[in-house]
Amino acid sequence: MKTSPTNVSKLFMFLLLSSVTMHSSDIDTPSSLQTLSIDGSFSFHNISHAAKDFGNRYQFLPSAILQPNSVSDIAKTIRHVFELGPYSNLTIAARGRGHSLQGQAQALEGIIIQMESFRGQETRVHNGEIPYVEASGGALWINILNESLKHGLAPKSWTDYLHLTIGGTLSNAGVSGQAFRHGPQISNVYQLEVVTGKGEVVNCSKTENADLFFGVLGGLGQFGIITKAKIALEPAPKMVKWIRVLYSDITTFTEDQEMMISAENTFDYIEGFVIINRTGILNNWRSSFNPQDPVQASQFKSDGRILFCLEMTKNFNSDESELADQEINALLSRLRFIPSTLFKSKVSYVEFLDRVHISEMQLRSKGLWEVPHPWLNLLIPRSKIQDFAKEVFGKILTDSSTGPILMYPVHKSKWDNRTSVVLPDEEVFYLVGLLTSAPSSSGHDNLDRALKQNQRILDFCKKARIGMKQYLAHYNTQEEWKHHFGARWEEFQQRKQAYDPLAILAPGQRIFQKTGFSL
């Protein structure tokens, strides 16, 4: 029987596509990574820890973990996956301390780069006219602090928790009570070394490869992995006077907060908390502080009211204690808190900055650290904070929550609008953080309850047109991400195409999907 040219053509195409299919299958196997000549090592077994994070809700098992010893290791690995082309399903996620909330630093059947293993850059402090510290993207902020303090210096802006990597917080923003003055951590960076989604090692700053520099800052890991950073420093104090006061009226509370963050002479750190029907937590934090008037303080009762705590610090050195007290008293005289709730403490600068780690150790000892953390972090425009508070604190969160509720204002002008972070459209906006823990308890699903509360809050914000933006955002569809970025989406998408065109990096953010080649 004769074979027609048409049949020959079909047979040829079948064999061609079959070979492509086999190639696609072969290149996704971890064995391809073993051909790479690297200084570090790959692990293919006992890697389940990389499928967990602080949120403790999502588990995506990778195929391999890279423990890099050099920038070259990271670049070679990414370049290898990039050169496999769109036929490969491999993706890559950089993981620091695994403190993401919803699988953002995970990569299903992909490669996890364990950044804390990265020793490519020794931490070096440059104590010149413009001091800075140069460190690996996998270095922890607590170690940066300790090294900088040897030179009498410290970074300007912090997160509340210091046991996180530089690359991790700079990929988001890095916010704490110093942000009203210095901006977030991403506003205090001089230079970065970045490995792009093509495996290219690029140095960037505000003047060199600026598009990548600003894109990576707050870029959620989408355009490159931060392997080195130069962070701004300032003279470090030795001690901190730590103050907490309470308000029962939210309008007075927010007005005083906004006055303090806008004053020329003010505190060095300003944060606020919402206490919902929680006498327990009230007594807990009071126990480590000294009341200004012990008799009045002992008579104060919360009576189940919603209370608002203003937390502030004043930095000082050992010979400046009296002067610091005078400045504090002058500032406090301008505030309208409940007089009997003035509590003070004096601690070292390191002890204050590392305060959350102490709580972590206590929770770990009780088995309450590695539980689900369905956190919700929102940026609320100043003009809507009263509407938000009335609905959320008055109607949705009506009983005791299981975690702190942060609420404090910052200035938008302290954030560089060239970075990838998207913010509300007002000069002053509030960070509201519902830092819920959800330990399992018999007969009651704390996690399900917390998630439903979060959704009710998000639904209210949408219906009431609050104009909020999520911080540490999590969305499941690209349409939701488009809405999140708004007018910035096109720029964000263009940067992705320029620096990670195959969508290899940070798949756990669920912004771009590596689609591959469909046959």
Side-chain angles (χ1 to χ4, degrees), residues 50-117:
K52 292 180 65 178
D53 58 24
F54 179 70
N56 209 14
R57 291 175 52 209
Y58 294 88
Q59 294 193 20
F60 301 118
L61 188 68
S63 293
I65 295 176
L66 169 65
Q67 288 93 16
N69 280 349
S70 64
V71 177
S72 176
D73 288 354
I74 297 172
K76 283 180 180 178
T77 301
I78 296 176
R79 194 179 310 119
H80 172 74
V81 175
F82 179 73
E83 289 174 351
L84 294 177
Y87 302 107
S88 168
N89 293 322
L90 280 177
T91 55
I92 296 174
R95 175 188 170 92
R97 294 301 301 276
H99 212 262
S100 57
L101 297 170
Q102 292 163 305
Q104 288 95 331
Q106 299 180 35
L108 178 64
E109 297 180 353
I111 304 167
I112 298 296
I113 298 181
Q114 192 65 56
M115 293 302 294
E116 210 182 342
S117 303

Side-chain angles (χ1 to χ4, degrees), residues 199-272:
E200 299 168 341
V201 182
V202 182
N203 288 309
C204 52
S205 66
K206 292 180 180 180
T207 56
E208 178 188 14
N209 299 309
D211 185 64
L212 179 61
F213 177 76
F214 290 117
V216 166
L217 293 173
L220 307 176
Q222 293 301 302
F223 316 123
I225 294 174
I226 297 171
T227 51
K228 183 164 59 178
K230 291 183 179 179
I231 309 294
L233 299 177
E234 65 177 359
K238 292 277 198 279
M239 302 294 293
V240 165
K241 292 191 185 270
W242 191 358
I243 302 130
R244 283 173 173 169
V245 295
L246 291 179
Y247 293 74
S248 58
D249 174 63
I250 187 172
T251 301
T252 308
F253 173 65
T254 54
E255 286 177 354
D256 278 6
Q257 278 189 310
E258 290 168 22
M259 176 182 65
M260 282 291 104
I261 70 163
S262 301
E264 186 173 343
N265 296 313
T266 187
F267 293 98
D268 296 299
Y269 158 100
I270 299 171
E271 283 195 9

Side-chain angles (χ1 to χ4, degrees), residues 284 356-368:
N284 182 53
V356 176
H357 185 56
I358 297 171
S359 299
E360 175 193 350
M361 294 298 99
Q362 294 171 345
L363 290 171
R364 282 189 183 278
S365 68
K366 299 174 183 178
L368 295 175

Side-chain angles (χ1 to χ4, degrees), residues 260-471:
M260 282 291 104
I261 70 163
S262 301
E264 186 173 343
N265 296 313
T266 187
F267 293 98
D268 296 299
Y269 158 100
I270 299 171
E271 283 195 9
F273 300 87
V274 182
I275 303 173
I276 299 178
N277 197 18
R278 295 187 68 189
T279 305
I281 193 172
L282 193 62
N283 291 332
N284 182 53
W285 71 250
R286 291 191 332 187
S287 65
S288 57
F289 285 71
N290 297 317
Q292 183 79 358
D293 187 326
V295 176
Q296 280 195 41
S298 66
Q299 295 172 349
F300 175 79
K301 298 190 185 305
S302 64
D303 298 325
R305 290 174 293 171
I306 296 176
L307 297 173
F308 305 92
C309 172
L310 182 54
E311 181 177 58
M312 305 151 290
T313 68
K314 194 71 177 174
N315 301 335
F316 70 103
N317 291 316
S318 302
D319 57 344
E320 301 168 338
S321 182
E322 189 174 333
L323 177 61
D325 282 334
Q326 292 173 7
E327 292 176 346
I328 288 169
N329 289 335
L331 291 169
L332 289 175
S333 69
R334 302 172 61 189
L335 301 177
R336 297 165 292 170
F337 55 88
I338 303 169
S340 61
T341 66
L342 172 56
F343 285 74
K344 296 180 179 179
S345 181
K346 183 171 70 173
V347 296
S348 72
Y349 186 57
V350 173
E351 188 178 348
F352 170 71
L353 289 178
D354 203 27
R355 62 198 179 280
V356 176
H357 185 56
I358 297 171
S359 299
E360 175 193 350
M361 294 298 99
Q362 294 171 345
L363 290 171
R364 282 189 183 278
S365 68
K366 299 174 183 178
L368 295 175
W369 183 257
E370 293 185 1
V371 299
H373 294 97
W375 287 8
L376 182 64
N377 293 279
L378 306 175
L379 307 178
I380 308 292
R382 174 185 176 273
S383 66
K384 297 291 187 179
I385 193 63
Q386 301 288 340
D387 295 340
F388 176 88
K390 182 179 179 181
E391 179 71 19
V392 173
F393 306 138
K395 297 180 181 179
I396 298 178
L397 304 178
T398 53
D399 57 3
S400 299
S401 58
T402 53
I405 302 174
L406 303 180
M407 178 179 161
Y408 60 91
V410 293
H411 287 291
K412 186 175 182 177
S413 57
K414 298 294 184 179
W415 299 58
D416 196 312
N417 61 11
R418 292 170 291 183
T419 68
S420 290
V421 175
V422 286
L423 304 171
D425 294 327
E426 293 184 14
E427 167 54 21
V428 174
F429 61 90
Y430 278 75
L431 186 147
V432 178
L434 307 173
L435 310 185
T436 306
S437 296
S440 59
S441 59
S442 58
H444 190 68
D445 191 339
N446 288 316
L447 177 59
D448 184 61
R449 175 174 164 272
L451 292 174
K452 286 178 178 177
Q453 282 186 337
N454 287 351
Q455 192 57 53
R456 282 186 66 192
I457 294 169
L458 293 174
D459 290 344
F460 162 74
C461 288
K462 184 177 181 180
K463 183 179 179 180
R465 298 185 178 179
I466 295 296
M468 69 82 181
K469 292 294 181 183
Q470 284 198 49
Y471 177 60

Side-chain angles (χ1 to χ4, degrees), residues 29-38 42-45 80:
T29 60
S31 61
S32 70
L33 300 174
Q34 295 173 337
T35 64
L36 296 180
S37 175
I38 60 173
F42 283 102
S43 297
F44 303 100
H45 308 288
H80 172 74

Side-chain angles (χ1 to χ4, degrees), residues 21-33:
T21 302
M22 288 188 291
H23 178 61
S24 172
S25 173
D26 290 343
I27 60 179
D28 281 350
T29 60
S31 61
S32 70
L33 300 174

